[in-house]
Amino acid sequence: MKGLYFQQNSPGEEISFVFQERENLPDIKDNYVKLQVKACALSWINIKLLSEMKLEKEFFPVGREIAGVVLEVGNKVSFFHPDDEVVGILPLDSEESGLCEIVRIHEHYLVHKPEKVTWTEAAGVIRDGIRSYTALHFLSHVSPGKSVLIMDGASAFGTIAIQLAYHRGAKVISTAYSLEDKQYLERLRPAIVRVIDVSNGKDDVTESCLEETGGIGVDIILDAGVRLYSKNDEPALNLQLLPHKHDIITLLGVGGHWITTEENLQLDPPDSHCLFLKGATVSFLNDEVWNLSNVQQGRYLCILKDVMEKLSTGVFRPLLDEPVPPYDAKVSMEIVQKNQARKKQVIQF
């Protein structure tokens, strides 16, 4: 059987994706489960994180969000039986490529898939569901009446985050990076309080949010990246659409929470002082933390179950592209790694 792997010959070089013949699976023992993969979602690979965790190897497996049918269980497995339909995320240090027909995975990374949920929906929503729960539930404690600004709401992750915030009773504001994004966000139901189109340069995020909140500021901000420097110093055009870190701090309300995806965020003393005066917090969104410590395993499984429940009841309506056949997985993964895919890419077996 073949699986998809990526290869990086030297640091800083672009990675390449290759199909590799994989070794036969070891015997299914203890708490491990043998799974027939039905769908696998593709997500951007954080090469820097893998390097910092000393997980570098010549060929690294690709495709971690999987849904499938249990074929065989180990002698210590207590949650699953053969023919169960399950969904889960392969751990960061897994040797398995989810883009392979058969994989071996520990039972503590899986939950049951609801019957009415399709394979592609289950695989396509599980990662973004975890990220949304981490950001809005655990890092910022979203609750009814709170105002939430979700940057780039028309992305696959932004869509799930908006739906979770609404389900919690929050008032949602979102930014759009193109006319198509704006039209998509305006069609979402229940309706977003305000969509700010930043693509034409006419709408200012700070002014719009302060106007919407009566000058009080936003309770929770979930960014999709920030500018650390002035527009003239930012080389890439896509970075120029992002808000400056000072703008985010300005529109943050008293006691507010800023959840950032910018791992290299640098705050100057005046920025820190402004946050201090507001009693505001900055949290970093890294959804991999759940699997870095076994202490959080029970809570992690509860989130996975809740994500599937919300998907089956229609609270989550993921933004998925058309299912992709396995032979096109390499091309799709290259698009995902270049951040050129707006909709979630899912490989269907």
Side-chain angles (χ1 to χ4, degrees), residues 208-233:
S208 299
C209 288
L210 291 175
E211 179 186 321
E212 192 62 48
T213 58
I216 295 173
V218 180
D219 296 310
I220 299 168
I221 299 172
L222 175 54
D223 73 33
V226 293
R227 278 191 297 113
L228 303 178
Y229 313 103
S230 66
K231 284 192 176 183
N232 297 331
D233 296 330

Tab-separated table of all heavy atoms in Angstrom, residues 208-233:
chain	number	residue	atom	x	y	z
A	208	SER	N	-14.737	50.436	12.310
A	208	SER	CA	-15.990	49.683	12.147
A	208	SER	C	-16.366	48.948	13.432
A	208	SER	O	-17.528	48.944	13.843
A	208	SER	CB	-15.853	48.676	10.998
A	208	SER	OG	-15.590	49.332	9.779
A	209	CYS	N	-15.372	48.328	14.091
A	209	CYS	CA	-15.654	47.575	15.324
A	209	CYS	C	-16.035	48.499	16.474
A	209	CYS	O	-16.958	48.200	17.238
A	209	CYS	CB	-14.446	46.722	15.711
A	209	CYS	SG	-14.174	45.305	14.635
A	210	LEU	N	-15.336	49.622	16.596
A	210	LEU	CA	-15.665	50.568	17.658
A	210	LEU	C	-17.042	51.179	17.428
A	210	LEU	O	-17.804	51.398	18.378
A	210	LEU	CB	-14.596	51.664	17.735
A	210	LEU	CG	-13.218	51.211	18.243
A	210	LEU	CD1	-12.210	52.350	18.165
A	210	LEU	CD2	-13.311	50.686	19.670
A	211	GLU	N	-17.376	51.424	16.172
A	211	GLU	CA	-18.708	51.940	15.844
A	211	GLU	C	-19.787	50.913	16.188
A	211	GLU	O	-20.830	51.246	16.759
A	211	GLU	CB	-18.764	52.283	14.360
A	211	GLU	CG	-20.109	52.818	13.883
A	211	GLU	CD	-20.139	53.004	12.367
A	211	GLU	OE1	-19.107	53.441	11.808
A	211	GLU	OE2	-21.179	52.706	11.759
A	212	GLU	N	-19.518	49.637	15.880
A	212	GLU	CA	-20.499	48.572	16.119
A	212	GLU	C	-20.713	48.332	17.616
A	212	GLU	O	-21.797	47.948	18.040
A	212	GLU	CB	-20.026	47.285	15.435
A	212	GLU	CG	-21.057	46.190	15.362
A	212	GLU	CD	-22.295	46.582	14.560
A	212	GLU	OE1	-22.137	47.113	13.442
A	212	GLU	OE2	-23.413	46.362	15.073
A	213	THR	N	-19.663	48.539	18.410
A	213	THR	CA	-19.755	48.265	19.853
A	213	THR	C	-19.978	49.538	20.674
A	213	THR	O	-19.853	49.515	21.905
A	213	THR	CB	-18.471	47.577	20.350
A	213	THR	OG1	-17.340	48.413	20.063
A	213	THR	CG2	-18.284	46.231	19.681
A	214	GLY	N	-20.292	50.648	20.011
A	214	GLY	CA	-20.544	51.887	20.732
A	214	GLY	C	-19.306	52.452	21.397
A	214	GLY	O	-19.388	53.115	22.437
A	215	GLY	N	-18.128	52.180	20.814
A	215	GLY	CA	-16.878	52.685	21.337
A	215	GLY	C	-16.300	51.875	22.481
A	215	GLY	O	-15.221	52.191	22.994
A	216	ILE	N	-16.992	50.819	22.898
A	216	ILE	CA	-16.532	50.007	24.033
A	216	ILE	C	-15.387	49.085	23.639
A	216	ILE	O	-14.485	48.818	24.432
A	216	ILE	CB	-17.702	49.176	24.604
A	216	ILE	CG1	-18.764	50.105	25.207
A	216	ILE	CG2	-17.216	48.182	25.651
A	216	ILE	CD1	-20.021	49.387	25.648
A	217	GLY	N	-15.415	48.589	22.420
A	217	GLY	CA	-14.407	47.637	21.965
A	217	GLY	C	-14.946	46.210	21.970
A	217	GLY	O	-16.008	45.927	22.516
A	218	VAL	N	-14.194	45.327	21.352
A	218	VAL	CA	-14.609	43.934	21.166
A	218	VAL	C	-14.116	43.075	22.340
A	218	VAL	O	-13.013	43.271	22.842
A	218	VAL	CB	-14.049	43.390	19.833
A	218	VAL	CG1	-14.467	41.944	19.624
A	218	VAL	CG2	-14.537	44.235	18.667
A	219	ASP	N	-14.951	42.128	22.773
A	219	ASP	CA	-14.579	41.257	23.901
A	219	ASP	C	-13.550	40.201	23.510
A	219	ASP	O	-12.644	39.889	24.277
A	219	ASP	CB	-15.824	40.556	24.460
A	219	ASP	CG	-16.816	41.545	25.058
A	219	ASP	OD1	-16.389	42.385	25.859
A	219	ASP	OD2	-18.013	41.476	24.703
A	220	ILE	N	-13.717	39.612	22.313
A	220	ILE	CA	-12.832	38.524	21.866
A	220	ILE	C	-12.419	38.775	20.422
A	220	ILE	O	-13.272	39.066	19.569
A	220	ILE	CB	-13.537	37.158	21.979
A	220	ILE	CG1	-13.921	36.859	23.435
A	220	ILE	CG2	-12.651	36.040	21.430
A	220	ILE	CD1	-14.870	35.682	23.588
A	221	ILE	N	-11.133	38.659	20.149
A	221	ILE	CA	-10.627	38.780	18.777
A	221	ILE	C	-9.880	37.499	18.428
A	221	ILE	O	-8.973	37.081	19.150
A	221	ILE	CB	-9.677	39.983	18.624
A	221	ILE	CG1	-10.406	41.290	18.942
A	221	ILE	CG2	-9.100	40.031	17.213
A	221	ILE	CD1	-9.490	42.501	19.006
A	222	LEU	N	-10.276	36.895	17.324
A	222	LEU	CA	-9.594	35.708	16.806
A	222	LEU	C	-8.994	36.084	15.459
A	222	LEU	O	-9.717	36.264	14.479
A	222	LEU	CB	-10.588	34.541	16.665
A	222	LEU	CG	-10.079	33.251	16.027
A	222	LEU	CD1	-8.833	32.729	16.720
A	222	LEU	CD2	-11.175	32.187	16.032
A	223	ASP	N	-7.678	36.266	15.423
A	223	ASP	CA	-7.061	36.756	14.189
A	223	ASP	C	-6.718	35.615	13.232
A	223	ASP	O	-6.786	34.434	13.590
A	223	ASP	CB	-5.848	37.644	14.491
A	223	ASP	CG	-4.628	36.860	14.994
A	223	ASP	OD1	-4.432	35.716	14.562
A	223	ASP	OD2	-3.867	37.406	15.820
A	224	ALA	N	-6.355	36.011	12.021
A	224	ALA	CA	-5.888	35.051	11.015
A	224	ALA	C	-4.499	35.475	10.558
A	224	ALA	O	-4.149	35.389	9.389
A	224	ALA	CB	-6.864	35.007	9.838
A	225	GLY	N	-3.723	35.970	11.535
A	225	GLY	CA	-2.421	36.558	11.248
A	225	GLY	C	-2.486	38.064	11.445
A	225	GLY	O	-3.548	38.664	11.327
A	226	VAL	N	-1.361	38.670	11.766
A	226	VAL	CA	-1.308	40.121	11.970
A	226	VAL	C	-0.058	40.684	11.298
A	226	VAL	O	0.915	39.968	11.055
A	226	VAL	CB	-1.282	40.508	13.472
A	226	VAL	CG1	-2.584	40.148	14.135
A	226	VAL	CG2	-0.115	39.862	14.192
A	227	ARG	N	-0.116	41.988	11.003
A	227	ARG	CA	1.072	42.686	10.505
A	227	ARG	C	1.889	43.163	11.702
A	227	ARG	O	1.355	43.787	12.605
A	227	ARG	CB	0.667	43.885	9.643
A	227	ARG	CG	0.323	43.518	8.214
A	227	ARG	CD	0.177	44.742	7.331
A	227	ARG	NE	-0.925	45.606	7.753
A	227	ARG	CZ	-0.769	46.827	8.252
A	227	ARG	NH1	0.448	47.329	8.423
A	227	ARG	NH2	-1.814	47.552	8.588
A	228	LEU	N	3.170	42.874	11.685
A	228	LEU	CA	4.053	43.309	12.762
A	228	LEU	C	4.727	44.635	12.425
A	228	LEU	O	5.264	45.312	13.296
A	228	LEU	CB	5.123	42.249	13.036
A	228	LEU	CG	4.599	40.843	13.397
A	228	LEU	CD1	5.761	39.886	13.603
A	228	LEU	CD2	3.725	40.887	14.638
A	229	TYR	N	4.682	45.010	11.139
A	229	TYR	CA	5.360	46.226	10.697
A	229	TYR	C	4.368	47.076	9.908
A	229	TYR	O	3.217	46.713	9.701
A	229	TYR	CB	6.580	45.880	9.832
A	229	TYR	CG	7.445	44.801	10.441
A	229	TYR	CD1	7.413	43.494	9.970
A	229	TYR	CD2	8.281	45.097	11.516
A	229	TYR	CE1	8.191	42.502	10.550
A	229	TYR	CE2	9.071	44.115	12.110
A	229	TYR	CZ	9.016	42.819	11.620
A	229	TYR	OH	9.777	41.838	12.202
A	230	SER	N	4.805	48.219	9.414
A	230	SER	CA	3.936	49.089	8.613
A	230	SER	C	3.725	48.462	7.239
A	230	SER	O	4.481	47.587	6.814
A	230	SER	CB	4.560	50.474	8.463
A	230	SER	OG	5.756	50.387	7.699
A	231	LYS	N	2.704	48.946	6.525
A	231	LYS	CA	2.384	48.369	5.205
A	231	LYS	C	3.559	48.494	4.236
A	231	LYS	O	3.785	47.620	3.396
A	231	LYS	CB	1.152	49.061	4.621
A	231	LYS	CG	-0.155	48.617	5.235
A	231	LYS	CD	-1.335	49.104	4.427
A	231	LYS	CE	-2.647	48.559	5.015
A	231	LYS	NZ	-3.822	48.948	4.228
A	232	ASN	N	4.302	49.596	4.341
A	232	ASN	CA	5.426	49.805	3.428
A	232	ASN	C	6.546	48.792	3.644
A	232	ASN	O	7.319	48.500	2.739
A	232	ASN	CB	5.985	51.221	3.613
A	232	ASN	CG	4.962	52.279	3.248
A	232	ASN	OD1	4.099	52.039	2.412
A	232	ASN	ND2	5.049	53.443	3.887
A	233	ASP	N	6.621	48.262	4.874
A	233	ASP	CA	7.687	47.307	5.194
A	233	ASP	C	7.278	45.858	4.984
A	233	ASP	O	8.097	44.956	5.111
A	233	ASP	CB	8.139	47.486	6.649
A	233	ASP	CG	8.756	48.854	6.887
A	233	ASP	OD1	9.338	49.388	5.935
A	233	ASP	OD2	8.620	49.385	8.013
